[in-house]
Amino acid sequence: MSDKAWKALERRVARFFGTERNALSGGNSKLTRSDSLHPKLFIECKQRKRFAAVRLWNDTKRLADRERKTPVVCLSEKGRPGFWILVHSDDL
């Protein structure tokens, strides 16, 4: 039986961050609700057919490629301090 796509994603992300997938993430784990067992990062993995932020990243990548630069998208909510940084894992 093949692995579910979302479980494979959680494993791939955990490996990327040098940890393991939390098989009982969510409310069932007694250790953490994170999708991984990383000691410092709370990692939440979501897999969807499409994300609006990824479409924005794709547009940015096309422009960045023309200039041979790494695409980085920064998202901010008006009135909220700080911002989120979206970079593809292959670019790190």
Side-chain angles (χ1 to χ4, degrees), residues 10-92:
E10 289 179 359
R11 283 190 182 84
R12 198 168 65 245
V13 170
R15 251 189 327 272
F16 180 85
F17 285 103
T19 189
E20 295 180 34
R21 175 182 175 263
N22 180 12
L24 295 173
S25 62
N28 296 322
S29 176
K30 298 202 185 322
L31 299 173
T32 179
R33 295 176 72 103
S34 173
D35 289 337
S36 83
L37 298 175
H38 195 283
K40 293 185 177 184
L41 299 176
F42 188 103
I43 299 173
E44 180 70 22
C45 299
K46 293 294 180 198
Q47 188 169 53
R48 300 279 187 268
K49 190 170 185 176
R50 289 190 180 83
F51 287 101
V54 174
R55 286 196 297 272
L56 174 59
W57 185 89
N58 288 336
D59 293 343
T60 303
K61 179 169 176 38
R62 279 190 284 281
L63 296 172
D65 284 351
R66 289 184 204 154
E67 297 185 25
R68 296 184 181 169
K69 293 182 178 181
T70 300
V72 178
V73 173
C74 297
L75 305 172
S76 173
E77 289 183 345
K78 189 174 182 177
R80 185 171 180 169
F83 54 91
W84 292 265
I85 302 168
L86 180 63
V87 179
H88 194 277
S89 59
D90 288 346
D91 292 329
L92 295 176

